[in-house]
Amino acid sequence: DVAIRFAAQTKPCLIEKKLMPLRYRLYASNDYLDARGVPKNVLDLLEHDIVVYGSDVPAPVSNINWLLELIRSENKEFQPILSVGNVHGILHAIRGGVGIGALPKYLIDQDSNLTEVMPDCVGPTIDVYLVYLEEMRNAKRLNVLRDFLVEHSNASKLN
């Protein structure tokens, strides 16, 4: 009956309510950082293993490989250690200590094995929407869910 989407909808029969923005940030496992050190700036990233999205990944943002573009602004020949086809693959690679990668903060949650690196280096933002059919506009259960999601997304620390 309802969906959470990471892009605005175009069908006129759908109603959408923007819940929150999600921002991409850089993360690495604690083991990786203990072994390789913590980068402080873009030049430091040249000395690290970087995990990126594959070039053919359908993504909710146009510049999903912003991290690679940022590093290549310093060294056009830079090659990532791994390209992965989806956000969960990147999460698992980073958790496994493969390298540093960009993830939306909501995936990290309370994962004590992951640390945000270079907190001032923030990537693109994705808007999150609650989407439902126009005919459900006055459904009580939908209104309760919508109000709950809006309240908790406004109070969240997910972005």
Side-chain angles (χ1 to χ4, degrees):
D1 291 340
V2 300
I4 304 291
R5 301 284 185 200
F6 296 107
Q9 302 302 292
T10 58
K11 294 182 181 177
C13 63
L14 296 176
I15 296 175
E16 64 185 18
K17 172 72 177 164
K18 184 176 173 184
L19 295 175
M20 70 183 126
L22 294 177
R23 289 176 185 83
Y24 277 76
R25 299 173 183 275
L26 301 181
Y27 294 94
S29 73
N30 296 330
D31 290 341
Y32 176 88
L33 295 173
D34 289 345
R36 301 286 303 273
V38 179
K40 304 283 189 243
N41 56 49
V42 177
L43 289 174
D44 288 351
L45 290 174
L46 292 169
E47 304 303 318
H48 284 270
D49 294 331
I50 304 297
V51 180
V52 299
Y53 295 88
S55 59
D56 59 348
V57 174
V61 293
S62 60
N63 56 342
I64 195 69
N65 274 325
W66 63 275
L67 174 57
L68 186 57
E69 292 168 13
L70 179 67
I71 295 169
R72 284 185 174 163
S73 70
E74 298 295 333
N75 177 350
K76 294 193 185 315
E77 304 302 316
F78 183 86
Q79 292 298 315
I81 192 77
L82 180 65
S83 294
V84 181
N86 64 65
V87 69
H88 293 288
I90 289 186
L91 174 62
H92 290 296
I94 293 170
R95 274 190 185 140
V98 172
I100 298 170
L103 293 168
K105 192 172 182 180
Y106 80 91
L107 283 177
I108 306 309
D109 197 21
Q110 301 298 318
D111 193 328
S112 60
N113 181 44
L114 297 179
T115 299
E116 184 177 353
V117 296
M118 297 173 48
D120 293 336
C121 185
V122 179
T125 298
I126 299 173
D127 289 326
V128 179
Y129 299 90
L130 172 67
V131 179
Y132 52 94
L133 292 171
E134 162 98 46
E135 61 204 42
M136 294 186 62
R137 176 186 301 271
N138 296 318
K140 185 157 182 85
R141 65 187 177 153
L142 173 75
N143 291 332
V144 169
L145 175 63
R146 183 192 61 228
D147 293 347
F148 173 83
L149 291 173
V150 167
E151 178 184 337
H152 287 280
S153 64
N154 288 336
S156 78
K157 305 256 191 286
L158 295 176
N159 55 16

